[in-house]
Amino acid sequence: MVLWVMNNIFLIFIVGLPCSGKTTVAQEIVSRYGFVHFATESVRAEYLAENLDMTEDCDFTPEQHAYVYGEIEKRVKCAIADGKSVIVEGVYRNESQRAPIIEISDGYGGNLKSLFYYLTCDSDEAERRLILRKQNGTKAPAGVNGYRKIKREFVAPPQSRYTRYDTTNGTKSVVKEIIDAIGRCM
């Protein structure tokens, strides 16, 4: 009985550079399936509370990375243990940052339905989105300069595990494909 229940629990992991559409895609999936959504920017904003300057163009500090990624790992484990499907999304710029989420997935020995996505976007379009996001009062303080720094450090995830989607022209078709993939796994 436990394996059957676990087979109906999903771990969706979405990574990519800022403004590649991660949050938009995740929110659409959440609205369709009701999965629990963990976003690095939301946990960071919660952690910093009133000390987060939205006008500043900055990246996560090492302390913020450690707290946010550790906190998401704990929350994901608790949600899955409670029988809830989850979506995790954030930049996760290298394999060492991605490893804890992958370890959670692998730790269930195939009894957890895990889908991994890497979203990309043309740099000019991403920078345009960043400017709009800043104007609209985002939870994410990274602007164009922060984006460029993160882009230099970002290591693309392996194609063997992650399905790659380009969201330069929008997220509608990406959302449809991911929702279809989830549906096929149910």
mmCIF file of all heavy atoms in Angstrom, residues 41-50 52 67 71 75:
data_model
loop_
_atom_site.group_PDB
_atom_site.id
_atom_site.type_symbol
_atom_site.label_atom_id
_atom_site.label_comp_id
_atom_site.label_asym_id
_atom_site.label_seq_id
_atom_site.Cartn_x
_atom_site.Cartn_y
_atom_site.Cartn_z
ATOM 1 N N GLU A 41 13.356 32.159 -4.332
ATOM 2 C CA GLU A 41 13.147 33.594 -4.087
ATOM 3 C C GLU A 41 12.140 33.835 -2.964
ATOM 4 O O GLU A 41 12.296 34.763 -2.178
ATOM 5 C CB GLU A 41 12.700 34.301 -5.373
ATOM 6 C CG GLU A 41 13.786 34.436 -6.408
ATOM 7 C CD GLU A 41 14.973 35.304 -5.991
ATOM 8 O OE1 GLU A 41 14.933 35.996 -4.948
ATOM 9 O OE2 GLU A 41 15.965 35.284 -6.726
ATOM 10 N N SER A 42 11.110 33.017 -2.869
ATOM 11 C CA SER A 42 10.114 33.179 -1.799
ATOM 12 C C SER A 42 10.714 32.863 -0.435
ATOM 13 O O SER A 42 10.471 33.578 0.539
ATOM 14 C CB SER A 42 8.910 32.275 -2.052
ATOM 15 O OG SER A 42 8.249 32.681 -3.221
ATOM 16 N N VAL A 43 11.497 31.790 -0.367
ATOM 17 C CA VAL A 43 12.119 31.424 0.910
ATOM 18 C C VAL A 43 13.146 32.487 1.310
ATOM 19 O O VAL A 43 13.255 32.838 2.486
ATOM 20 C CB VAL A 43 12.740 30.009 0.850
ATOM 21 C CG1 VAL A 43 13.518 29.684 2.116
ATOM 22 C CG2 VAL A 43 11.648 28.976 0.620
ATOM 23 N N ARG A 44 13.874 33.019 0.330
ATOM 24 C CA ARG A 44 14.829 34.087 0.624
ATOM 25 C C ARG A 44 14.109 35.326 1.148
ATOM 26 O O ARG A 44 14.538 35.931 2.142
ATOM 27 C CB ARG A 44 15.621 34.438 -0.627
ATOM 28 C CG ARG A 44 16.646 35.540 -0.410
ATOM 29 C CD ARG A 44 17.253 35.915 -1.744
ATOM 30 N NE ARG A 44 18.414 36.767 -1.617
ATOM 31 C CZ ARG A 44 18.827 37.565 -2.576
ATOM 32 N NH1 ARG A 44 18.196 37.601 -3.728
ATOM 33 N NH2 ARG A 44 19.897 38.316 -2.412
ATOM 34 N N ALA A 45 13.012 35.715 0.508
ATOM 35 C CA ALA A 45 12.251 36.886 0.948
ATOM 36 C C ALA A 45 11.711 36.671 2.362
ATOM 37 O O ALA A 45 11.733 37.575 3.195
ATOM 38 C CB ALA A 45 11.115 37.168 -0.028
ATOM 39 N N GLU A 46 11.249 35.461 2.654
ATOM 40 C CA GLU A 46 10.765 35.106 3.985
ATOM 41 C C GLU A 46 11.902 35.207 5.014
ATOM 42 O O GLU A 46 11.731 35.739 6.102
ATOM 43 C CB GLU A 46 10.218 33.681 3.904
ATOM 44 C CG GLU A 46 9.812 33.035 5.169
ATOM 45 C CD GLU A 46 9.486 31.559 4.911
ATOM 46 O OE1 GLU A 46 8.672 31.256 4.029
ATOM 47 O OE2 GLU A 46 10.084 30.719 5.612
ATOM 48 N N TYR A 47 13.070 34.696 4.654
ATOM 49 C CA TYR A 47 14.244 34.702 5.525
ATOM 50 C C TYR A 47 14.694 36.128 5.853
ATOM 51 O O TYR A 47 15.008 36.459 6.984
ATOM 52 C CB TYR A 47 15.365 33.925 4.842
ATOM 53 C CG TYR A 47 16.721 33.968 5.504
ATOM 54 C CD1 TYR A 47 16.928 33.415 6.760
ATOM 55 C CD2 TYR A 47 17.816 34.522 4.841
ATOM 56 C CE1 TYR A 47 18.179 33.421 7.354
ATOM 57 C CE2 TYR A 47 19.071 34.523 5.428
ATOM 58 C CZ TYR A 47 19.250 33.988 6.680
ATOM 59 O OH TYR A 47 20.499 34.000 7.249
ATOM 60 N N LEU A 48 14.702 36.968 4.840
ATOM 61 C CA LEU A 48 15.183 38.328 5.040
ATOM 62 C C LEU A 48 14.097 39.274 5.535
ATOM 63 O O LEU A 48 14.407 40.356 6.035
ATOM 64 C CB LEU A 48 15.781 38.873 3.740
ATOM 65 C CG LEU A 48 17.036 38.150 3.265
ATOM 66 C CD1 LEU A 48 17.470 38.666 1.908
ATOM 67 C CD2 LEU A 48 18.161 38.301 4.275
ATOM 68 N N ALA A 49 12.842 38.884 5.373
ATOM 69 C CA ALA A 49 11.686 39.672 5.796
ATOM 70 C C ALA A 49 11.838 41.135 5.396
ATOM 71 O O ALA A 49 11.901 41.446 4.220
ATOM 72 C CB ALA A 49 11.432 39.490 7.279
ATOM 73 N N GLU A 50 11.927 42.007 6.362
ATOM 74 C CA GLU A 50 11.962 43.437 6.062
ATOM 75 C C GLU A 50 13.329 43.937 5.608
ATOM 76 O O GLU A 50 13.471 45.084 5.220
ATOM 77 C CB GLU A 50 11.509 44.230 7.291
ATOM 78 C CG GLU A 50 10.060 43.994 7.622
ATOM 79 C CD GLU A 50 9.861 43.765 9.100
ATOM 80 O OE1 GLU A 50 10.704 44.181 9.907
ATOM 81 O OE2 GLU A 50 8.834 43.153 9.443
ATOM 82 N N LEU A 52 15.042 43.032 2.998
ATOM 83 C CA LEU A 52 15.293 42.780 1.581
ATOM 84 C C LEU A 52 15.011 44.053 0.796
ATOM 85 O O LEU A 52 13.902 44.566 0.792
ATOM 86 C CB LEU A 52 14.397 41.640 1.076
ATOM 87 C CG LEU A 52 14.627 41.166 -0.340
ATOM 88 C CD1 LEU A 52 16.056 40.639 -0.514
ATOM 89 C CD2 LEU A 52 13.640 40.069 -0.686
ATOM 90 N N TYR A 67 21.185 28.934 3.806
ATOM 91 C CA TYR A 67 19.909 28.887 4.505
ATOM 92 C C TYR A 67 18.779 28.457 3.571
ATOM 93 O O TYR A 67 18.021 27.530 3.874
ATOM 94 C CB TYR A 67 19.554 30.242 5.145
ATOM 95 C CG TYR A 67 18.172 30.204 5.736
ATOM 96 C CD1 TYR A 67 17.952 29.644 6.987
ATOM 97 C CD2 TYR A 67 17.073 30.649 5.010
ATOM 98 C CE1 TYR A 67 16.677 29.543 7.515
ATOM 99 C CE2 TYR A 67 15.784 30.551 5.526
ATOM 100 C CZ TYR A 67 15.595 30.002 6.772
ATOM 101 O OH TYR A 67 14.325 29.901 7.280
ATOM 102 N N GLU A 71 16.763 25.021 3.763
ATOM 103 C CA GLU A 71 15.362 25.119 4.184
ATOM 104 C C GLU A 71 14.444 24.449 3.159
ATOM 105 O O GLU A 71 13.506 23.725 3.530
ATOM 106 C CB GLU A 71 14.975 26.590 4.379
ATOM 107 C CG GLU A 71 13.596 26.806 4.939
ATOM 108 C CD GLU A 71 13.394 26.268 6.345
ATOM 109 O OE1 GLU A 71 14.378 26.092 7.102
ATOM 110 O OE2 GLU A 71 12.225 26.011 6.699
ATOM 111 N N ARG A 75 11.895 21.292 3.795
ATOM 112 C CA ARG A 75 10.467 21.415 3.504
ATOM 113 C C ARG A 75 10.011 20.372 2.487
ATOM 114 O O ARG A 75 8.904 19.831 2.596
ATOM 115 C CB ARG A 75 10.147 22.820 3.004
ATOM 116 C CG ARG A 75 10.307 23.878 4.078
ATOM 117 C CD ARG A 75 10.026 25.264 3.555
ATOM 118 N NE ARG A 75 10.330 26.278 4.551
ATOM 119 C CZ ARG A 75 10.033 27.562 4.417
ATOM 120 N NH1 ARG A 75 9.423 27.993 3.323
ATOM 121 N NH2 ARG A 75 10.353 28.415 5.367
#
